Amino acid sequence: MTRVLEARVVVDRPGFRLEAELAVKPGEVIAVMGPSGAGKSTLLGVLAGLVGLDEGKVSLGDSVLDEAPRPRVRIAPSARGIVLLGQDPRLFPHLSAHANIAFGLRARGAGKTAALAEADDWLWRVGLDGMGARRPAELSGGQQQRVALARALATSPAVLLLDEPLASLDPETAGDIRALLHDQLAVTHTTAIVATHDAVDAVSLAQRLVVLEGGRVTQTGGVRDVLGGPATRFVAAVAGLNRVEGTARAGRWTRGGMTLRIPPAGGDAASDQGSPVETAAVFRPSAVRLDRAEAETWTGALRLSPPDAAGEWLARVTRLEQTPAGVRVRTADPDVAVDVSADRVAELALAPGVPVRLRVDPADVRLVAIADAAGSAGPGPG
């Protein structure tokens, strides 16, 4: 029987409060993203029954799993039909891979013969056929995670909770397990919540994305919609985009010395009429062109630089970050990232404090009304 998971979660801890709402349809996979300390693991812990509610309600279909403060309800983790899988596979070290999988089935009431046969099938499904006799110590980290996933899915959980299960794996192994997860979640139609810090997990596994920051939902929606229209700087960073908040007014968008022209057919009507509209400019680091400023010092650059034109502005380098394709140059006032090749960085002798001139084509910029972006946070508390 398929059931909707609904949760309104309030957890109070010294210096931290988690306040979030979720509704997950049967067979749906959602990703929960947020910076460290945002409350992702706490949220999954509440759903799994490992963390108590201070206020709220968790239900699965018609069954109430948690409710507080009154009436107080708390169903034991083992009776929920919800399985939590984290970075640590938590396999029984004295049991073989085959026996680890069978144990989960036996714990759910399967007979010995049926459990052993089902475990054989799951070893084949997760690509470990012929390795069932090995104990966890004889398996690699990726192989152990495959066994843990097989043990979890073999029991046909009502909901599978995945708490950054790929974080401790090397990129190649993580890619293999991610592909396995995608295939098995689709085949089994398992309802799942994936807590992750990796946008690749969200894009490849989930239909919806929920963003937690500081214990609150700041944005939620389709994965593509959220990453394409980030409501916060955190989401923009995850999506690999710049997000600069400014004001649109009378056909122009401004933030400090950065100015963009707004096409007459675009933008909010209020901006065309002269009323300011708080708006975020969203654009890719690769869309920005960078050159050395007209002087070596910031004071000199300010004195010698021509007036800022639309789409051009003066900035200072704050730091350089290595990327697979070159160097990401971070600049300030406003905070903008620019992707530059390594040889270009050397040619320009870029370093923290160096003044630079940046340029971006307004056609490469998407303007998002801040109120609209914040409003897409959906059911999360405001």
Side-chain angles (χ1 to χ4, degrees):
M1 180 175 64
T2 57
R3 296 174 287 175
V4 175
L5 174 68
E6 296 182 283
R8 182 175 67 84
V9 173
V10 177
V11 177
D12 271 314
R13 295 290 183 269
F16 177 76
R17 178 180 172 90
L18 171 64
E19 190 171 353
E21 293 188 20
L22 285 178
V24 190
K25 299 175 183 177
E28 185 179 28
V29 180
I30 71 168
V32 178
M33 298 191 72
S36 297
K40 303 185 298 296
S41 294
T42 300
L43 175 60
L44 265 57
V46 169
L47 300 178
L50 305 176
V51 177
L53 275 178
D54 289 302
E55 183 183 331
K57 182 178 180 180
V58 178
S59 61
L60 187 58
D62 295 331
S63 301
V64 176
L65 306 181
D66 261 308
E67 191 165 7
R70 293 185 180 86
R72 190 67 175 101
V73 177
R74 190 171 185 188
I75 303 300
S78 59
R80 294 180 175 227
I82 295 178
V83 174
L84 174 63
L85 177 61
Q87 295 181 35
D88 183 351
R90 295 187 181 277
L91 301 176
F92 295 111
H94 62 289
L95 296 181
S96 66
H98 183 266
N100 264 281
I101 299 172
F103 178 88
L105 290 159
R106 294 278 284 162
R108 293 294 172 130
K112 182 177 180 180
T113 302
L116 293 175
E118 186 76 2
D120 279 332
D121 180 59
W122 274 100
L123 282 168
W124 175 82
R125 287 198 196 192
V126 297
L128 294 178
D129 192 28
M131 303 179 70
R134 298 188 185 185
R135 293 186 177 183
E138 301 172 296
L139 299 172
S140 67
Q143 290 169 338
Q144 290 182 40
Q145 201 67 299
R146 287 171 183 262
V147 175
L149 178 62
R151 184 174 64 181
L153 289 175
T155 61
S156 301
V159 181
L160 177 63
L161 307 176
L162 299 160
D163 192 2
E164 305 211 29
L166 310 181
S168 62
L169 303 177
D170 64 82
E172 183 176 355
T173 303
D176 291 341
I177 302 297
R178 190 180 292 115
L180 173 65
L181 264 172
H182 175 272
D183 292 343
Q184 293 304 321
L185 290 176
V187 168
T188 58
H189 303 289
T190 300
T191 304
I193 301 175
V194 185
T196 180
H197 65 279
D198 194 332
V200 177
D201 291 342
V203 170
S204 60
L205 297 175
Q207 292 90 45
R208 277 198 301 129
L209 175 58
V210 175
V211 181
L212 266 183
E213 297 180 69
R216 289 177 175 264
V217 175
T218 56
Q219 191 172 7
T220 186
V223 175
R224 181 178 179 182
D225 295 334
V226 172
L227 296 180
T232 68
R233 286 182 60 186
F234 168 78
V235 182
V238 167
L241 300 172
N242 286 301
R243 183 182 187 274
V244 182
E245 295 188 0
T247 303
R249 182 175 187 175
R252 296 175 76 84
W253 177 92
T254 58
R255 164 67 188 272
M258 182 180 175
T259 301
L260 298 171
R261 289 193 181 92
I262 300 173
D268 190 280
S271 66
D272 295 333
Q273 298 167 3
S275 300
V277 178
E278 296 302 311
T279 308
V282 178
F283 51 97
R284 298 183 182 280
S286 59
V288 186
R289 290 177 295 162
L290 180 151
D291 291 292
R292 285 287 294 249
E294 294 75 8
E296 296 297 317
T297 66
W298 180 250
T299 302
L302 287 173
R303 185 176 66 252
L304 298 177
S305 176
D308 290 327
E312 298 186 16
W313 67 99
L314 197 64
R316 276 179 288 191
V317 174
T318 57
R319 67 181 187 273
L320 306 177
E321 301 172 352
Q322 184 69 47
T323 70
V327 179
R328 178 157 290 181
V329 181
R330 293 281 181 177
T331 64
D333 302 326
D335 183 357
V336 170
V338 187
D339 284 343
V340 182
S341 65
D343 62 330
R344 179 65 171 164
V345 170
E347 177 189 345
L348 297 176
L350 297 180
V354 169
V356 292
R357 180 160 287 278
L358 305 181
R359 300 176 178 84
V360 65
D361 187 334
D364 293 326
V365 180
R366 178 185 178 193
L367 296 179
V368 181
I370 292 174
D372 290 346
S376 68

